[in-house]
Amino acid sequence: MDAFSKLPEAINELVSEFSSAPVVGDLGAGITQYSFWLLVSAIVLLVVVFTFVKKQTLVPKGLFVNGVEYLVEYVENDVAKGVVGTEWRKHFPFLATIFFFILINNFIGLIPGMKPGTGAIGCTAALALVTFIYFVYFGCKKHGVIGYLKSLAPVGVAFPMNVFVWVIEVFSLLLRPITLAIRLFCNMFAGHIVMGSFAIMASLFAQPLLEQVSAMNALGALPSLAWVAILLIIYAVELIVAFVQAYVFTVLAAVYIQIAEAEGH
């Protein structure tokens, strides 16, 4: 029961560790822990890409090359071709970059002691803003600025209802980057808080046994085994979530691109 009494304070400390603390400089002009791991993820992405290109052959060999090629083909077939359609080829580099960047960020964040760049709302907001600018640009390029704005209203709706629907569509359009940013951030941040909470529970129950070995403390530490087991299950789930969130973000980006370039609604 003593472990439960210490839990609120430990959780508060855990949450504070996920704040954007500067590692170089200050919050006004410096690098936070999330910015640092974001840069590390970008470097890892470049290493993965250049290594893959260098090792790629007509017949893929090795776990690394086959694994990366599988993911590339997955984004190409399932997302680019499957969602964007006939215009998929010009958008594939953008979609693949978004997917791998988010995926590597998410996976790096699952390594103990590291933080995911996608665990900061600033990072996910930047990704969402870039995606928003990207599909609006191609929508305007395809239809012209006025034509794109007009295309937001569905064809065949009479006045004045079409004006009302157009306003709703504009509002929906402006909400897209917000929902993209919040969805990715909340899933990654919440997952790490949950894992951290179970890790704290395991350590709190095991702490008396580590300080003094006795039969009573050993009995009191037994719940730690359950917390560790749950933690491992959650960790496995988070590995899946890391992939799913990268996939969902990329699919939604592809959907928005397809809608922006569609001839009419």
Side-chain angles (χ1 to χ4, degrees):
M1 296 302 294
D2 186 50
F4 283 110
S5 66
K6 297 178 181 177
L7 184 60
E9 182 181 353
I11 294 296
N12 288 333
E13 291 180 3
L14 171 67
V15 173
S16 66
E17 289 179 2
F18 283 90
S19 61
S20 295
V23 293
V24 176
D26 52 39
L27 291 177
I31 299 177
T32 66
Q33 55 183 346
Y34 288 102
S35 300
F36 174 77
W37 291 114
L38 184 71
L39 292 173
V40 170
S41 299
I43 293 171
V44 171
L45 175 61
L46 291 174
V47 170
V48 168
V49 171
F50 285 116
T51 304
F52 172 70
V53 172
K54 185 177 180 180
K55 290 188 175 183
Q56 195 176 29
T57 56
L58 186 61
V59 179
K61 295 180 181 180
L63 181 63
F64 172 78
V65 174
N66 279 282
V68 174
E69 183 162 336
Y70 173 80
L71 291 175
V72 170
E73 290 180 352
Y74 184 79
V75 175
E76 178 184 328
N77 297 321
D78 195 69
V79 180
K81 291 180 181 178
V83 178
V84 178
T86 56
E87 299 291 329
W88 71 271
R89 193 174 298 276
K90 66 181 178 182
H91 300 297
F92 173 69
F94 174 78
L95 294 172
T97 302
I98 287 289
F99 174 79
F100 279 99
F101 183 74
I102 295 175
L103 185 66
I104 290 175
N105 264 281
N106 292 351
F107 279 151
I108 283 182
L110 291 174
I111 300 173
M114 299 183 181
K115 297 289 191 297
T118 46
I121 188 64
C123 171
T124 60
L127 287 169
L129 181 60
V130 168
T131 303
F132 176 77
I133 293 172
Y134 184 89
F135 71 75
V136 168
Y137 167 77
F138 277 97
C140 293
K141 185 177 180 181
K142 179 72 176 288
H143 306 289
V145 176
I146 302 301
Y148 177 66
L149 291 175
K150 287 182 178 179
S151 72
L152 296 176
V155 177
V157 179
F159 180 84
M161 185 57 69
N162 61 343
V163 177
F164 179 69
V165 174
W166 182 84
V167 172
I168 294 176
E169 287 296 323
V170 170
F171 183 69
S172 174
L173 176 69
L174 296 176
L175 279 179
R176 287 172 187 172
I178 298 174
T179 55
L180 278 174
I182 293 177
R183 179 186 293 105
L184 180 57
F185 163 71
C186 288
N187 276 281
M188 300 315 300
F189 183 82
H192 283 74
I193 292 295
V194 171
M195 287 194 298
S197 300
F198 280 100
I200 287 173
M201 291 294 291
S203 64
L204 288 177
F205 277 93
Q207 186 176 357
L209 180 62
L210 296 175
E211 293 175 351
Q212 182 180 358
V213 178
S214 67
M216 183 62 70
N217 287 343
L219 183 64
L222 287 178
S224 291
L225 298 177
W227 300 129
V228 170
I230 295 173
L231 176 60
L232 292 175
I233 294 172
I234 294 176
Y235 191 87
V237 172
E238 282 300 304
L239 289 173
I240 299 172
V241 170
F243 175 82
V244 169
Q245 288 306 312
Y247 172 76
V248 169
F249 193 103
T250 309
V251 166
L252 288 175
V255 169
Y256 297 151
I257 292 169
Q258 192 277 329
I259 292 174
E261 291 191 327
E263 291 299 332
H265 298 288

